[in-house]
Amino acid sequence: MNTVTASQPISIDLFCRVIDNLGDIGVCWRLARQLAAQAEVAQLRLWVDDLHSFARIQADVRCDLQSQHVQGVQIEHWHPDRHAYPPPYPFIIEAFACEPPEPMTRPLNDAEHVWINLDYLSAEPWVQGCHGLPSPQANGAKKYFFFPGFIPQTGGLLREADLLTRRDAFQQDDQAYQAMLNRLGVAQEHIQALLKGEMQQMFLFCYPDAPVLTLPEVLSTLEQKTLLLVPESVALRIPELAQGQLLIQRIPAVDQADFDPLLWRSALNIVRGEDSLVRAIWAGQPMLWQPYVQEEQAHLDKLQAWLDTGTLPEAAQALHLGWSSADQAGSTAALARCLEPQVLHLWQQEARAYSAKLAEQADLANSLLSFYTQVARNR
Ligand code: TRH
């Protein structure tokens, strides 16, 4: 029997099924790159069913290949017509209960494999009770529930080791910022205004039901000019003509590695779902999060649980609740209060402190490797 011990290099199969939007592949691609970069990881295969969605956040992914290597990761197209599969590697990470192909789960056994289901991110209190629990599967193997999270009793958050150092450097580096704005197609006069501090940048990434008209209503009346960067397919209801102090700039999709710098220089990051929430936290700037809409308003419980992990000013909490309830009047009043100098200052301080506090926790990729080692050692 080829029993794998904890001290051997680890080879990993990571499975991702794209259900909706970019969140599934967004989390898996970021995790795959981070795991592949770890010294103790020998091989990493990322199995993805939808390469077209993948190519939207990593432009050099080819949609016509069954196998390809990108940034140290072996990418495998997992499609219904594929019948030949290799033997599974010792560590199997199934993202979001995506049910890997049967030929790869049938051979799994507890003596040779560690099989986990990586769950969605939530700050709800029940998560810590379920994190790490085993669940017996039909083939006799155990599958462990593994939860990312905001407290040390969970698997933590995705964070590259050098992320905050790179963030701090970019926030001081006007040349790199200018190059980014050029790539996004921002007009030279606006770039100059941003660099001189005569204009502030904000970023908007939301779901279609967000009360986006809140933004022109409040931002057009501010003393300072604002350039709001909006990805092409987002917030289609927002008027694109300049209004008062507000300018709106549509931007093309960027590769995932270029997504962070977009957030690092924004005075306000409006984000959604799972992965961009975490990236906005690491940006350390004021942020507004919209969770993925769920049945029976379950996303509002998720939102409240996340708000409870920090100490946002009351106006910023009201803004979150209004934004996720499609309440334009409530959001408008709350955003106006949030941008008053005293509240804004508190919001900025809290954002910085919150990202520093969470960065003290082990990150998700390292937590996964520790979990593997612990299970492998104890069998
Ligand atoms: O796309 P999302 O709405 O994904 C959602 C959520 O994750 C939700 O929890 C899940 O259940 C649902 O999908 C199926 O938002 P999210 O999670 O922020 O993912 C977006 C990803 O896209 C993130 O990794 C950042 C990346 N991205 C780019 O790389 N370039 C871009 O230009 C943009 C706009 C996004």
Side-chain angles (χ1 to χ4, degrees):
M1 186 182 289
N2 176 26
T3 303
V4 176
T5 63
S7 55
Q8 285 177 308
I10 307 170
S11 290
I12 306 171
D13 278 310
L14 167 58
F15 292 91
C16 174
R17 202 188 282 277
V18 176
I19 305 291
D20 193 7
N21 301 321
L22 298 170
D24 310 280
I25 187 61
V27 169
C28 291
W29 179 227
R30 198 179 291 291
L31 175 62
R33 287 187 292 136
Q34 281 180 45
L35 285 171
Q38 304 286 332
E40 63 265 53
V41 173
Q43 311 275 349
L44 191 134
R45 276 189 303 228
L46 171 60
W47 298 83
V48 183
D49 68 337
D50 174 359
L51 296 176
H52 288 278
S53 293
F54 196 169
R56 285 172 62 196
I57 59 165
Q58 185 63 46
D60 53 356
V61 165
R62 296 240 330 245
C63 299
D64 56 335
L65 295 179
Q66 174 138 307
S67 300
Q68 58 195 302
H69 276 89
V70 179
Q71 297 188 20
V73 175
Q74 183 180 341
I75 298 169
E76 293 289 331
H77 191 190
W78 163 28
H79 54 82
D81 299 334
R82 182 166 184 161
H83 299 295
Y85 286 93
Y89 282 146
F91 191 13
I92 290 83
I93 304 177
E94 171 182 347
F96 316 126
C98 68
E99 295 187 8
E102 200 270 341
M104 293 203 75
T105 52
R106 195 185 332 114
L108 298 182
N109 64 77
D110 294 343
E112 294 177 287
H113 304 99
V114 177
W115 180 9
I116 68 134
N117 178 61
L118 175 64
D119 231 295
Y120 286 110
L121 173 63
S122 172
E124 289 162 293
W126 57 265
V127 163
Q128 55 177 305
C130 297
H131 176 61
L133 290 184
S135 140
Q137 299 299 298
N139 68 354
K142 285 193 213 76
K143 178 157 72 173
Y144 293 88
F145 295 109
F146 199 94
F147 284 85
F150 299 86
I151 50 173
Q153 296 81 355
T154 65
L157 300 170
L158 279 169
R159 174 174 47 80
E160 298 78 3
D162 61 348
L163 182 72
L164 299 197
T165 315
R166 285 192 287 118
R167 174 198 70 186
D168 293 347
F170 188 83
Q171 286 177 339
Q172 303 300 321
D173 185 345
D174 279 354
Q175 251 185 328
Y177 182 39
Q178 187 167 9
M180 182 196 87
L181 293 167
N182 273 317
R183 282 197 300 276
L184 294 175
V186 176
Q188 288 310 315
E189 55 170 311
H190 299 151
I191 294 181
Q192 292 314 317
L194 287 163
L195 291 172
K196 286 186 202 144
E198 295 164 2
M199 186 184 258
Q200 60 181 349
Q201 175 193 306
M202 293 188 183
F203 176 69
L204 171 63
F205 185 43
C206 63
Y207 292 118
D209 55 344
V212 287
L213 298 181
T214 292
L215 300 172
E217 211 173 323
V218 177
L219 302 178
S220 61
T221 63
L222 294 181
E223 237 169 73
Q224 197 179 11
K225 276 194 166 47
T226 299
L227 182 71
L228 181 66
L229 303 179
V230 190
E232 269 155 8
S233 55
V234 171
L236 301 176
R237 288 189 302 130
I238 204 163
E240 288 177 33
L241 291 177
Q243 297 184 45
Q245 297 288 74
L246 175 65
L247 292 157
I248 293 176
Q249 168 91 38
R250 288 280 168 189
I251 55 168
V254 298
D255 275 1
Q256 197 179 49
D258 296 327
F259 188 71
D260 288 309
L262 264 180
L263 309 183
W264 291 340
R265 285 283 191 132
S266 285
L268 171 63
N269 286 309
I270 303 174
V271 289
R272 71 181 206 194
E274 183 162 331
D275 192 58
S276 58
L277 158 67
V278 177
R279 306 325 281 184
I281 290 171
W282 299 137
Q285 303 284 72
M287 59 176 283
L288 167 56
W289 175 51
Q290 182 182 20
Y292 186 70
V293 179
Q294 288 171 299
E295 281 170 18
E296 295 177 5
Q297 306 280 310
H299 58 288
L300 292 182
D301 295 337
K302 219 170 164 175
L303 173 62
Q304 188 57 57
W306 176 70
L307 290 173
D308 292 344
T309 66
T311 52
L312 279 179
E314 183 273 327
Q317 301 205 28
L319 174 60
H320 276 86
L321 296 172
W323 187 255
S324 273
S325 311
D327 171 5
Q328 197 187 314
S331 300
T332 301
L335 179 60
R337 274 190 290 137
C338 283
L339 298 178
E340 285 165 11
Q342 270 184 331
V343 183
L344 181 60
H345 183 65
L346 284 178
W347 198 10
Q348 287 164 336
Q349 280 184 325
E350 163 63 12
R352 202 76 184 175
Y354 186 65
S355 92
K357 181 183 88 176
L358 289 179
E360 286 170 8
Q361 265 179 236
D363 68 276
L364 182 64
N366 275 298
S367 298
L368 281 163
L369 295 176
S370 305
F371 188 79
Y372 171 85
T373 307
Q374 189 195 324
V375 174
R377 188 182 290 137
N378 291 335
R379 65 187 163 201

